[in-house]
Structures are given as C-alpha cells and as structure tokens.
C-alpha cells in the first residue's frame, strides 16, 4: 500500500475506521442471512457446516498469521539495517580522526553530507519505494575517498583495515535498506487473497443458527474484529518507510551529533 496525496492509507485513523467498519459489515451480513436463510435448513446442516468452518478457519488463520509475522519481520529487518548503516558510518568518522591529512577531513565532510542527505532527501523518497540519486553519489564518493588513503605506518595499516571493513559494512547495509524500501508493501494478489479469505471466513459463521441472537452477534463481531486487526497490522508493518508507523532515521541524527562533537562545530 502506498501513500496518496492526502492521508496515507497506512495510518492510525485508517485503523480506527477499518475495525468498526468490518464489524458493522459483518453484523449487517448476519442480519441479512438470518432473514433470508431458512431456519430449518441451517439447523439440519449445522454439523456439516461446523466441520467445513473449522477447515476454512484454520487454513485462513495459518495464512493470515504467516503474513503478519513476515510483515513484522521485514519491518524489524529494515530498522536493524538502517541502524547498522548509521553505526558503520559513525565508525568511519571515528576511525578517520586517527588519520592525518586532507583526505581525513574530506571523509568527514562527505560523511556529514551523506547523513544530511539521507535524512532530508532520501528518507522521504523511500516512502515512494525509491532512493535519492544525490545521496547515492555521495555514498560512492565517500567510499572512494576512504579506499584512496595510503597508510604510512603499521598502526595506520591496522586502523585502515578496520575502516575499510566499516566502509564495506556501510555499503552493504545501505543496499539492504534500499532493497527493503523498494520491496515494501504487499502485492495486489496477496491483498485480494487475504481480504477474500477474511470475507469467506466471516460468511461461514452465518451458517450457524444460534437461538440467542445477541450471542451470535457478539461472536460474529469479535471474529470480524480479530481479522480486521490482523489485516491492519499487515497494512502498518508491510511498508517500513511510509505511514504513521515507520522506521525513522534516528541513527543518522546521532551520527551527525557524533560528527559535530568530533569537528567541534554545529550543523545548521
């Protein structure tokens, strides 16, 4: 699910509307079924319907649970990749302070430009499943500057080897973050299966004739609410970089603070 020009669909207000709307729709369907389906026929086939309902409910619960877990796992992976990328960038900055010359200064300047570009330019772009070309160019120039340094002592050689590893980690985690951004959301087919399966599961509950109407209304509403809540979880977690619940670039803000402390100046 992607952002529109107005309110994002993966937002908290949508959840506040989704659950009660699903409950109301399920109760309306139950009312219609009790009016049009013959009582005697429902009682007659209730045993068969219960077995079929168990099969349908179990299959849908397994599919729904797997998609929820997968969406939450991808969200967590995107957050960890972003944090690891900012950590690797901070390591590059700290190791660079141990090297003399203009190259060291250039690395720190590029690191600051990169962190700023990620926060201000690339992060909003990732909400649309893309990346910023400007940020990508800064990242490449940063790596080229790091690799261009020639250590002049055994101590510098050891520090340089560690810095190169940090630079490699930085690039790998950046690529992982962008992959998560480009592949966020669920395919339309998957949403169709989840929504259709939820509707079928709720409709199956209409084939049971409970003498106490209020009891059946309560059970049906709870079934619809549980399904709607799980779909809402998928909606919120499937796109890690968009919506009200998203991965934030807090790690890059902290990187800029570290660079600010190292350089002794403040960003605008």
């Amino acid at each position: 699910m992607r952002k529109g020009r107005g309110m994002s669909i993966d937002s908290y207000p949508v959840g506040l509307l989704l659950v009660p709307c699903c409950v109301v729709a399920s109760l309306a369907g139950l009312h219609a079924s009790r009016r049009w389906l013959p009582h005697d026929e429902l009682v007659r086939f209730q045993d068969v319907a219960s077995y079929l309902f168990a099969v349908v409910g179990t299959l849908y619960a397994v599919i729904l649970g797997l998609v929820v877990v997968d969406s939450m796992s991808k969200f967590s992976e995107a957050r960890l990749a972003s944090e690891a990328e900012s950590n690797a960038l901070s390591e590059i900055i700290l190791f660079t302070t141990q090297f003399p010359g203009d190259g060291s200064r250039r690395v720190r300047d590029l690191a600051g430009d990169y962190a700023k570009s990620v926060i201000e330019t690339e992060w909003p772009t990732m909400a649309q499943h893309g990346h910023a070309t400007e940020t990508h160019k800064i990242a490449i120039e940063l790596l080229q500057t790091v690799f261009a340094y020639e250590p002049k002592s055994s101590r510098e050689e050891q520090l340089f080897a560690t810095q190169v590893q940090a630079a490699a980690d930085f690039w790998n985690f950046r690529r992982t973050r962008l992959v998560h951004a480009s592949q966020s959301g669920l395919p339309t087919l998957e949403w169709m299966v989840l929504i259709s399966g939820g509707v079928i599961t709720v409709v199956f509950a209409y084939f049971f004739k409970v003498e106490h109407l209020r009891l059946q209304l309560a059970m049906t509403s709870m079934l619809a609410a549980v399904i709607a809540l799980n779909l809402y979880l998928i909606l919120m977690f499937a796109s890690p970089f968009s919506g009200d619940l998203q991965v934030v670039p807090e790690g890059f803000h902290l990187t800029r603070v570290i660079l600010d402390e190292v350089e002794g100046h403040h960003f605008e």
Side-chain angles (χ1 to χ4, degrees):
M1 295 291 178
R2 300 187 181 188
K3 280 188 173 183
R5 293 184 178 180
M7 183 182 65
S8 170
I9 192 173
D10 44 352
S11 61
Y12 295 126
V14 170
L16 295 176
L17 294 174
L18 175 64
V19 176
C21 286
C22 290
V23 171
V24 171
S26 67
L27 296 181
L30 176 61
H31 176 74
S33 68
R34 289 180 70 94
R35 182 176 180 181
W36 296 107
L37 294 178
H39 173 77
D40 295 338
E41 292 296 324
L42 290 177
V43 174
R44 181 181 176 184
F45 293 102
Q46 190 158 300
D47 292 338
V48 176
S50 63
Y51 289 115
L52 293 177
F53 180 71
V55 173
V56 171
T58 300
L59 289 175
Y60 183 70
V62 171
I63 295 174
L64 186 61
L66 289 175
V67 176
V68 170
V69 171
D70 182 63
S71 298
M72 297 181 72
S73 297
K74 289 181 178 179
F75 185 93
S76 179
E77 291 171 2
R79 177 177 57 82
L80 292 176
S82 300
E83 293 177 355
E85 180 189 356
S86 63
N87 289 338
L89 183 62
S90 298
E91 290 179 4
I92 293 174
I93 294 172
L94 293 175
F95 284 125
T96 303
T97 60
Q98 303 300 311
F99 296 99
D102 294 336
S104 176
R105 164 67 66 178
R106 180 59 178 162
V107 168
R108 294 195 294 274
D109 289 342
L110 288 171
D113 293 340
Y114 177 80
K116 180 179 180 180
S117 183
V118 167
I119 296 170
E120 298 179 359
T121 305
E122 189 162 64
W123 218 265
T125 304
M126 289 193 301
Q128 304 300 327
H129 310 280
H131 70 279
T133 304
E134 174 189 349
T135 310
H136 192 71
K137 291 179 179 179
I138 297 174
I140 293 177
E141 187 176 357
L142 172 62
L143 293 180
Q144 291 175 340
T145 306
V146 169
F147 295 148
Y149 183 78
E150 296 182 3
K152 300 177 178 60
S153 66
S154 58
R155 178 178 179 275
E156 288 187 2
E157 288 178 356
Q158 294 176 355
L159 289 172
F160 180 69
T162 308
Q163 188 183 41
V164 168
Q165 182 60 54
D169 292 339
F170 159 77
W171 181 259
N172 290 333
F173 287 124
R174 168 179 168 76
R175 181 178 57 82
T176 301
R177 170 171 61 83
L178 294 180
V179 168
H180 280 292
S182 64
Q183 297 180 351
S184 60
L186 294 183
T188 303
L189 177 61
E190 197 165 345
W191 276 115
M192 291 177 58
V193 171
L194 291 174
I195 294 173
S196 300
V199 172
I200 292 172
T201 302
V202 173
V203 170
F204 243 101
Y206 299 163
F207 293 97
F208 298 93
K209 191 72 171 183
V210 179
E211 294 299 331
H212 298 283
L213 177 60
R214 292 182 179 179
L215 181 60
Q216 187 168 8
L217 288 173
M219 291 188 295
T220 303
S221 62
M222 287 188 289
L223 175 62
V226 169
I227 293 175
L229 286 171
N230 279 273
L231 293 176
Y232 179 59
L233 280 178
I234 297 172
L235 183 66
M236 296 298 289
F237 283 100
S239 298
F241 299 102
S242 67
D244 290 345
L245 180 64
Q246 62 174 275
V247 179
V248 296
E250 186 62 31
F252 293 96
H253 286 290
L254 295 176
T255 298
R256 297 184 72 185
V257 171
I258 292 174
L259 184 59
D260 180 62
E261 294 175 350
V262 169
E263 296 291 341
H265 67 267
H266 299 279
F267 288 96
E268 297 181 354

